[in-house]
Amino acid sequence: MAIQQPASRPANPRFSSGPCAKPPTFNVAKLADAPLGRSHRAAVGKARLKSAIEGTREVLGIPDDYRIGIVPASDTGAVEMAMWNLLGARKVEMLAWESFGAGWVTDVVKQLKLDAEIKTADYGQIVDLSTVDTDNDVVFTWNGTTSGVRVPNGDWIKSDRAGLTICDATSAAFAQDLPWDKLDVTTFSWQKVLGGEAAHGMIVLSPRAVERLESYTPPWPLPKIFRLTKGGKLIEGIFEGATINTPSMLAVEDYLLALDWARSVGGLSGLIARADANTKVIADFCDARDWIGNLAVDPATRSNTSVCLSFTDPRIADGASFAKAVAKRLEAEGVALDIGAYRDAPPGLRIWCGGTVETSDLAALMPWIDWAYQSEIANLPG
């Protein structure tokens, strides 16, 4: 017997974890003033890039003495730029509890060939942060996009540390309150919490990171696209809008609009509140059911952006096939797009809850997940 479908649908079915939903007020016509066909080194291009940098500082509350740069290759490029430039001066600890963190471990161990201390945790868990020595350089992901596990706070990072903290914050920035005094290098991309376009990354450097850059030369060659210094001095232009390579001025204009929207909802505090409200919808849904749960074991480490769920019904013998069938059913109905678990993660669903997603859309989605689950359970043999 067919199970009755819910009466209402999400107005926007886009719950992808990257690229993420555009801001609710987005309209492509608003990009009409982008300086297309103009050099990014012309006055108009430099001004737009400078506005993107300073707008980022304003909304995120980044200290005035921190440098902010727009770099190529999204968050991946920014993280690798940081590791290639800064690591090797001290012992390094690599922390990983999901796919992207594991990728940084591979880069450091197999590409840079550093004898790093590696600390890992299974999906849904986090490493014991009390064991991390921040007198070493430490590379970690603040919010695991593929596991839905986030660092609960920065208390484990010493204020008087000797090492540098290199933080991949791409699913955290603009949704979580990052402790800038504890972070020496922070990276993220436009395509995540603010729903910007892909291919551009941001790198934020503390004064301690700048000091390392100007006092340490890594033993390996650096490609031009990674170089942050020249003649032992920071290339200041990168942090004033003179990008290393040519940026998309259309994507820059889109990011500027996203920053304007962020201001309109109350800035960082407003964005955090929106993400928290979205996450609560899913938490309440899971709490009321015994067949689905958050992949993150500890509530204190549960993400408010990339929420990862797993089906816990013991009747489900093939978790991967079941989860894929649920996601496919929801996509076929046009109520949820791109919510399958990441390919390396345990089977389940991954629903983006960042501030560009409307809480009303998540509320409308939950009955559909119930419907899809019940429909697939009814199809199981026996």
Side-chain angles (χ1 to χ4, degrees):
M1 182 177 71
I3 299 168
Q4 186 173 358
Q5 292 184 343
S8 61
R9 296 168 178 265
N12 184 355
R14 294 170 178 82
F15 301 102
S16 165
S17 291
C20 302
K22 308 296 288 183
T25 58
F26 175 78
N27 186 320
V28 71
K30 294 181 179 181
L31 302 177
D33 290 337
L36 305 183
R38 294 295 309 276
S39 170
H40 60 294
R41 303 194 191 284
V44 62
K46 286 183 179 179
R48 289 287 209 279
L49 291 161
K50 182 72 169 176
S51 292
I53 289 171
E54 292 309 318
T56 301
R57 186 185 304 280
E58 173 200 344
V59 174
L60 289 180
I62 298 173
D64 290 342
D65 59 350
Y66 279 49
R67 306 307 211 286
I68 304 171
I70 298 169
V71 299
S74 195
D75 178 64
T76 299
V79 174
E80 294 191 337
M81 175 181 286
M83 294 192 299
W84 257 251
N85 275 279
L86 294 165
L87 295 185
R90 303 182 71 86
K91 179 181 176 182
V92 60
E93 293 188 33
M94 302 294 300
L95 315 182
W97 45 85
E98 52 94 44
S99 179
F100 289 102
W104 310 143
V105 172
T106 298
D107 283 350
V108 167
V109 173
K110 293 190 176 181
Q111 304 302 323
L112 298 182
K113 302 187 184 304
L114 294 175
D115 184 19
E117 182 175 354
I118 302 168
K119 297 180 178 179
T120 63
D122 292 335
Y123 277 86
Q125 300 182 20
I126 198 169
V127 302
D128 183 353
L129 296 171
S130 69
T131 67
V132 179
D133 183 359
T134 52
D135 283 335
N136 300 322
D137 290 340
V138 182
V139 180
F140 66 102
T141 301
W142 192 276
N143 185 101
T145 309
T146 66
S147 69
V149 174
R150 67 173 172 181
V151 174
N153 54 60
D155 296 350
W156 54 281
I157 302 172
K158 296 192 297 187
S159 296
D160 61 347
R161 62 192 175 279
L164 297 180
T165 51
I166 299 176
C167 175
D168 171 0
T170 199
S171 291
F174 298 106
Q176 297 164 25
D177 195 7
L178 298 172
W180 295 107
D181 62 319
K182 299 296 184 74
L183 304 177
D184 294 304
V185 181
T186 308
T187 68
F188 52 91
S189 65
W190 297 348
Q191 68 187 20
K192 293 292 186 180
V193 180
L194 288 190
E197 293 303 298
H200 297 78
M202 302 291 284
I203 188 166
V204 182
L205 304 178
S206 74
R208 299 179 71 252
V210 173
E211 180 183 17
R212 171 76 66 83
L213 282 167
E214 294 185 335
S215 63
Y216 167 69
T217 301
W220 42 76
L222 286 175
K224 176 183 178 181
I225 210 162
F226 278 5
R227 294 173 199 159
L228 293 171
T229 61
K230 184 176 182 179
K233 291 295 182 182
L234 191 72
I235 303 174
E236 293 285 358
I238 294 173
F239 306 94
E240 297 171 355
T243 54
I244 295 173
N245 70 332
T246 305
S248 162
M249 297 311 299
L250 191 63
V252 171
E253 197 73 16
D254 180 71
Y255 181 56
L256 290 171
L257 285 176
L259 288 169
D260 284 343
W261 173 80
R263 295 181 185 99
S264 76
V265 298
L268 181 59
S269 61
L271 291 169
I272 293 172
R274 288 175 65 92
D276 287 348
N278 289 343
T279 307
K280 187 177 185 303
V281 170
I282 299 179
D284 290 347
F285 176 82
C286 292
D287 287 346
R289 290 157 180 80
D290 61 3
W291 48 264
I292 192 168
N294 199 302
L295 183 62
V297 176
D298 182 358
T301 68
R302 288 176 181 169
S303 171
N304 67 345
T305 55
S306 54
V307 177
C308 297
L309 306 175
S310 60
F311 293 103
T312 56
D313 192 323
R315 292 174 291 177
I316 302 171
D318 186 345
S321 295
F322 187 89
K324 287 179 181 178
V326 167
K328 184 177 180 180
R329 188 179 285 268
L330 294 169
E331 182 165 351
E333 291 295 332
V335 295
L337 307 177
D338 310 321
I339 66 166
Y342 189 73
R343 60 180 180 268
D344 295 337
L349 304 177
R350 181 174 59 155
I351 304 172
W352 186 256
C353 290
T356 59
V357 174
E358 297 279 36
T359 304
S360 58
D361 285 335
L362 282 162
L365 173 62
M366 294 302 103
W368 283 96
I369 292 179
D370 212 336
W371 167 81
Y373 159 79
Q374 299 292 351
S375 299
E376 289 303 323
I377 281 291
N379 288 338
L380 291 180

